[in-house]
Amino acid sequence: MIYPKIPLAQSIIEICHAKGVHDIIISPGSRNAPLTIGFTNNPKFNCYSIADERCAAFFALGIAQQTRRPVAVVCTSGSALLNYYPALAEAFYSQIPFVVISADRPFDKIDIGDGQTIRQENVFVNHSLYNANLTETASVANDVFINEAINVAIARKGPVHINVPFEEPLYETTNKLSVDFNVTGLNIPQRMVDVDDIIAFTTLWNYSNKILVLVGECAPGSVEQEFLEKLASLPSVVVMTEATSNLHHPSFINNIDTLITPFANADFLELQPRILITFGGMIVSKRVKAFLRKYKPRHHWHIDEHRAYDTFGILTKHFQVQPNQFFKQFLPFIKKTNSDYKSTFEAIRSKRKIKHKEYLSAVPFSDLKAFEGILSALPHDIQLQISNSASIRYAQLFDIDKSIQVFCNRGTSGIDGSTSTAIGAAVGSSRPTVLITGDVGFLYDSNALWNNYIPKDFKIILINNGGGGIFRILPGHQETETFNTYFETSHCLTAEHLAKMYLFDYVVASDGASLKKGLAKLFRQNEKPMILEVFTPTRENDKLLLNYFKALA
């Protein structure tokens, strides 16, 4: 086997293998040559070459999102490292294990005018869980730092940074290891709810007749079905789920905005929960956040092993356990309480569904109609990746088949890496993958297609409404040159030539009939990746959406 001659590079590679970090995304460079040589010449690693570091990091994020194992990104020194930051921040807020390994100049070369050199130590300090700033020589101390970084990424589910100074020569190799590296164990304790807390908080639960359970992003299958059935059986409990929660039950409310947007103050007051229980990742719905911030519950409990955000300004208890552990300990002590809380919500939901169908049956082709057609036509048992801004918000207005696994980068809610993440997720998953994205997000991340690992059955559904359509829905919308240029970023671009350059099949749709035909072709063809570009009317989409919410009342 071929190894880099530099002992420190050998230590990093061997410890990564011992810790189970086997997916390595490498961007080209010279300073990281010892790592590149070591990783790519070891058959124990799955190595990928992605030239654009920002795309590389989101690609890695997508793999880690699916495997739930740490993935490493490796880059050269200088500004290359800074391009990892958006994906690293997403990993931080979405609690995804993520390892950044950056090659660096030796310490005495920093800030003396040497090329491709910046201050790399602790550059991610605000969003990394651990920063290992190594010295040039292989040592026990360096091994401790490397081990600790990877242990933290696994145990605390987030990003870490290992900064590695290398001096030239960088390309020399050897056929044997020259280091005695050290591997430390990983201990992840099983957290449980304290018995006193169970007594105190189940008593509160059993005396409350209005309990709202709000669920954000969850990995598919992460909450046992028996606990969901128990929650669904309680008349005092309403469960609201988002598309990214991947939780399903006929009684759960999965179109939150459709239900609560038409509420008047009297409705909010009547349905104000006494207890709010949250778990999962970030919440998409701005409306439910506004509801719970204004009409605050008396108690807010959040369930998460690591972090709790006071999203609604009333957090009273953080249960530092997994949701399954919480429900396993709590639900045996929960009693059915006489309440019409759930039945009231169900009655409202039934009315909303009727109004929803009536409006959609009469509305002309638009973003809203496009999403209706797309989501109802998706094949079962796929992985659905959805980009941020308008796409995820439209998707939440419709039912998505429970066999479909749904993902979106909601940690930071940025548009910057949705396509790269989706491609990485397609590589990391055994399921066929479909990405639904808007035009601005797609164009912003178009280098994502510069990738030799895109599966043949990867599909992109691109909603092109000529700009950032979500800004037309927000309060600041005005039909002015400033708005169109600087907010909406109006354009006349399409994906046609990008598709040709990157060898994607390409088809377009601009009305209901062509959309139906395009979707049939999209899901029939699996020999090449494919883009279906759907053109919708720029100046009509916002009016039709706002009228939709009025029609629900």
Side-chain angles (χ1 to χ4, degrees):
M1 192 180 296
I2 298 173
Y3 299 97
K5 197 169 182 180
I6 296 176
L8 180 57
Q10 292 182 12
S11 294
I12 292 168
I13 292 158
E14 294 303 313
I15 293 172
C16 280
H17 168 61
K19 292 287 183 184
V21 183
H22 292 149
D23 293 302
I24 313 294
I25 288 73
I26 302 169
S27 293
S30 180
R31 189 61 51 171
N32 57 332
L35 296 170
T36 301
I37 291 167
F39 281 125
T40 58
N41 282 284
N42 189 326
K44 298 168 185 174
F45 295 102
N46 307 312
C47 294
Y48 305 86
S49 175
I50 308 288
D52 182 320
E53 283 87 5
R54 188 179 71 189
C55 294
F58 277 107
F59 176 82
L61 186 83
I63 296 176
Q65 176 199 82
Q66 294 301 305
T67 64
R68 312 311 292 182
R69 297 192 302 268
V71 175
V73 288
V74 178
C75 71
T76 190
S77 62
S79 61
L81 177 60
L82 302 182
N83 288 296
Y84 287 160
Y85 213 139
L88 181 136
E90 178 63 35
F92 178 82
Y93 287 107
S94 290
Q95 297 189 21
I96 294 174
F98 188 79
V99 180
V100 171
I101 306 176
S102 58
D104 198 358
R105 297 296 206 268
F107 187 77
D108 61 359
K109 298 289 178 66
I110 308 300
D111 286 344
I112 65 167
D114 217 27
Q116 212 168 333
T117 306
I118 64 170
R119 301 172 187 177
Q120 293 183 198
E121 292 189 354
N122 304 316
V123 73
F124 303 125
V125 67
N126 285 334
H127 296 97
S128 56
L129 300 178
Y130 188 86
N131 297 281
N133 298 304
L134 307 186
T135 55
E136 283 182 61
T137 306
S139 64
V140 172
N142 275 340
D143 286 356
V144 169
F145 289 139
I146 299 163
N147 276 277
E148 185 64 14
I150 298 172
N151 285 348
V152 167
I154 297 169
R156 294 174 57 191
K157 298 179 183 175
V160 297
H161 178 206
I162 303 172
N163 193 59
V164 195
F166 291 130
E167 183 56 280
E168 298 177 6
L170 302 168
Y171 293 88
E172 293 183 336
T173 61
T174 180
N175 59 6
K176 63 179 182 180
L177 286 173
S178 60
V179 293
D180 293 320
F181 59 92
N182 296 283
V183 178
T184 59
L186 172 64
N187 180 33
I188 304 178
Q190 176 64 46
R191 299 175 184 268
M192 299 183 68
V193 182
D194 184 79
V195 173
D196 290 339
D197 281 344
I198 294 173
I199 295 169
F201 287 93
T202 55
T203 301
L204 272 175
W205 182 314
N206 289 330
Y207 277 94
S208 301
N209 62 359
K210 292 181 179 180
I211 299 170
L212 178 62
V213 179
L214 178 61
V215 190
E217 180 271 332
C218 292
S222 59
V223 181
E224 293 180 21
Q225 192 63 33
E226 66 172 292
F227 301 142
L228 304 182
E229 296 290 342
K230 176 66 174 178
L231 289 172
S233 71
L234 300 170
S236 59
V237 175
V238 170
V239 180
M240 289 186 175
T241 62
E242 300 215 300
T244 55
S245 73
N246 292 295
L247 300 185
H248 303 279
H249 191 278
S251 74
F252 291 177
I253 292 167
N254 58 347
N255 310 120
I256 299 173
D257 287 355
T258 298
L259 185 109
I260 71 172
T261 299
F263 279 177
N265 286 339
D267 300 311
F268 284 122
L269 282 169
E270 181 187 358
L271 299 171
Q272 179 181 11
R274 180 180 177 86
I275 297 175
L276 170 67
I277 301 173
T278 57
F279 63 92
M282 303 297 186
I283 298 298
V284 176
S285 172
K286 291 179 68 174
R287 290 174 171 87
V288 80
K289 284 188 276 193
F291 164 34
L292 294 169
R293 284 167 178 164
K294 185 174 181 180
Y295 301 89
K296 295 183 186 295
R298 189 165 296 182
H299 308 277
H300 173 201
W301 311 340
H302 186 69
I303 308 163
D304 186 278
E305 286 180 284
H306 304 292
R307 278 178 271 173
Y309 297 110
D310 192 6
T311 304
F312 311 103
I314 192 63
L315 183 68
T316 51
K317 179 65 178 178
H318 176 198
F319 290 97
Q320 290 186 271
V321 296
Q322 294 180 348
N324 277 329
Q325 185 63 41
F326 175 86
F327 292 124
K328 180 181 179 180
Q329 291 187 257
F330 258 70
L331 291 181
F333 301 98
I334 298 305
K335 301 172 184 177
K336 283 192 176 181
T337 304
N338 289 330
S339 173
D340 63 355
Y341 195 53
K342 181 179 172 182
S343 61
T344 301
F345 269 100
E346 288 180 337
I348 296 169
R349 182 175 65 167
S350 296
K351 293 176 183 177
R352 296 281 192 267
K353 284 188 172 183
I354 294 170
K355 296 288 188 181
H356 171 91
K357 289 179 181 178
E358 288 176 350
Y359 186 82
L360 267 294
S361 66
V363 73
F365 191 72
S366 57
D367 282 350
L368 192 63
K369 282 294 286 185
F371 272 90
E372 178 192 35
I374 291 164
L375 295 174
S376 63
L378 292 174
H380 290 184
D381 299 309
I382 65 167
Q383 175 194 165
L384 178 62
Q385 293 276 335
I386 306 176
S387 72
N388 274 304
S389 291
S391 295
I392 186 62
R393 298 185 189 283
Y394 272 111
Q396 298 225 124
L397 303 178
F398 300 91
D399 294 334
I400 298 174
D401 188 85
K402 65 181 182 180
S403 71
I404 295 172
Q405 297 180 352
V406 182
F407 301 89
C408 179
N409 285 346
R410 291 305 297 180
T412 63
S413 308
I415 66 166
D416 35 8
S418 295
T419 307
S420 297
T421 302
I423 294 171
V427 169
S429 170
S430 60
R431 290 185 170 221
T433 301
V434 175
L435 166 68
I436 301 176
T437 183
D439 49 342
V440 175
F442 173 80
L443 293 168
Y444 195 88
D445 195 29
S446 61
N447 264 3
L449 306 184
W450 185 13
N451 184 312
N452 294 323
Y453 312 100
I454 301 174
K456 292 180 179 179
D457 59 358
F458 181 71
K459 320 286 188 189
I460 297 176
I461 301 174
L462 168 58
I463 312 296
N464 190 337
N465 51 28
I470 194 168
F471 290 102
R472 290 183 163 267
I473 305 166
L474 300 178
H477 170 229
Q478 297 175 13
E479 210 61 63
T480 64
E481 184 178 346
T482 295
F483 173 83
N484 293 338
T485 301
Y486 296 102
F487 289 90
E488 187 182 29
T489 57
S490 300
H491 66 85
C492 298
L493 302 173
T494 78
E496 181 179 5
H497 296 294
L498 282 170
K500 185 176 181 180
M501 181 167 69
Y502 291 114
L503 305 179
F504 274 63
D505 275 354
Y506 177 75
V507 64
V508 300
S510 57
D511 56 29
S514 59
L515 176 61
K516 187 175 181 180
K517 187 183 293 186
L519 287 166
K521 184 176 181 181
L522 183 76
F523 297 127
R524 185 172 61 243
Q525 198 277 96
N526 288 312
E527 299 306 312
K528 287 174 66 177
M530 189 171 181
I531 297 173
L532 167 60
E533 188 162 18
V534 184
F535 294 96
T536 63
T538 303
R539 296 177 184 272
E540 300 301 320
N541 287 315
D542 60 315
K543 298 169 190 171
L544 293 170
L545 181 63
L546 293 172
N547 287 337
Y548 165 76
F549 288 119
K550 291 177 183 177
L552 292 173

